[in-house]
Amino acid sequence: MDVRAVLKLGQGVQEEEVREILNRHESRGGVKALLELSDLHRVKDRADSVISHKRFPYNTLIGSPQKIVEDEFLIPLNIDERCELMGDHQTGQHVQGMIVIEAFRQSFLAVTEAFFPLESKSSYFVINMMNVSFTSFLFPLPAHVSYRVLEANRSRKSARYKVIMSAVQNEVACATAEVSFTVYPASSIAPKEAELAYQVTEALLGLMPHTVNRSIQPAGGKTLALEIER
């Protein structure tokens, strides 16, 4: 009786490396009879940067959100080892908690952008509350986020949600997050944020002694402050 080895996609692998494995597997007929690699194709499922709000694909920790029933969704975890939060984790074999929290954050962004978009071209998300509890280690093996909308208050120009999410592995909820957030058109909230950044920087520099000149320029999420002392 022939025995085929089955390879499962875990967390942390690089998409390019898995694609290379799949390409080599397809080109070798004899090996194809010994290995079952169909699960590795899941590495290609990565949420688009438009809905994950990440510029580089390897920083997106989730796959495309799937609607299960009304207001309930499933989001696959698809972690690349090159992501911004993997660079300096020193302990254990588990997936670190901050990656789970970031996966939760990307999940509510992606679900809202994909299934409940505002009429505006670009949206701006503000987190009002986020409570996270951890009950078990999450290991670098297949896992997903279960997502349920608890409350929704939508209008044409903004929307406020309360949701609950769980990181699930082997049918066990390893971590749970309850989040309240508000979505605005970017065109309305970005100028307000820039003005607040300016005010805070002005106030901070005003507290510094011997400051005779200062230049403040909020731009692109960065504030440049120059102080000249006597």
Side-chain angles (χ1 to χ4, degrees):
M1 179 171 138
D2 292 336
V3 178
R4 298 183 79 193
V6 179
L7 270 65
K8 291 287 187 179
L9 181 70
Q11 306 295 338
V13 295
Q14 296 186 25
E15 181 174 343
E16 291 79 2
E17 293 177 347
V18 176
R19 286 180 179 272
E20 178 65 21
I21 291 171
L22 290 170
N23 290 338
R24 293 189 180 190
H25 182 250
E26 287 296 323
S27 65
R28 298 179 181 180
V31 176
K32 288 177 66 175
L34 300 176
L35 294 175
E36 172 56 58
L37 305 185
S38 59
D39 190 65
L40 299 191
H41 287 277
R42 291 190 298 107
V43 78
K44 304 172 186 176
D45 177 22
R46 196 171 300 278
D48 190 273
S49 62
V50 173
I51 64 173
S52 72
H53 294 197
K54 287 296 178 182
R55 180 177 301 173
F56 302 111
Y58 51 77
N59 284 331
T60 295
L61 305 176
I62 60 172
S64 301
Q66 307 161 22
K67 185 174 182 178
I68 306 303
V69 295
E70 190 67 24
D71 289 337
E72 291 190 16
F73 304 86
L74 184 148
I75 305 99
L77 283 183
N78 190 359
I79 301 169
D80 188 308
E81 66 179 353
R82 296 168 294 175
C83 80
E84 57 195 334
L85 296 173
M86 288 279 284
D88 197 16
H89 187 219
Q90 298 182 5
T91 58
Q93 303 177 49
H94 61 280
V95 176
Q96 66 194 76
M98 289 308 299
I99 288 182
V100 177
I101 292 173
E102 173 62 11
F104 284 148
R105 190 188 73 88
Q106 292 183 19
S107 292
F108 75 70
L109 295 174
V111 168
T112 307
E113 292 279 31
F115 295 96
F116 309 110
L118 294 180
E119 294 181 3
S120 60
K121 183 177 180 181
S122 179
S123 298
Y124 196 110
F125 286 71
V126 175
I127 299 175
N128 306 116
M129 178 274 293
M130 189 174 195
N131 291 329
V132 183
S133 61
F134 295 89
T135 53
S136 180
F137 283 130
L138 182 77
F139 293 103
L141 297 167
H144 68 271
V145 172
S146 66
Y147 184 108
R148 180 160 55 97
V149 179
L150 300 177
E151 299 175 11
N153 186 1
R154 307 181 186 101
S155 67
R156 290 184 59 192
K157 293 188 176 181
S158 68
R160 188 181 181 94
Y161 297 93
K162 183 177 182 180
V163 305
I164 188 167
M165 296 170 279
S166 293
V168 179
Q169 189 169 72
N170 289 337
E171 301 183 357
V172 174
C174 302
T176 299
E178 190 174 290
V179 184
S180 295
F181 60 95
T182 308
V183 193
Y184 301 95
S187 58
S188 68
I189 197 71
K192 295 179 183 178
E193 182 189 33
E195 177 60 26
L196 286 172
Y198 183 90
Q199 292 174 8
V200 171
T201 308
E202 274 276 78
L204 180 63
L205 291 179
L207 295 174
M208 294 181 179
H210 311 303
T211 301
V212 297
N213 189 19
R214 54 187 180 272
S215 175
I216 306 167
Q217 182 183 356
K222 298 180 180 179
T223 301
L224 172 65
L226 173 65
E227 54 177 315
I228 302 175
E229 298 183 355
R230 300 182 198 273

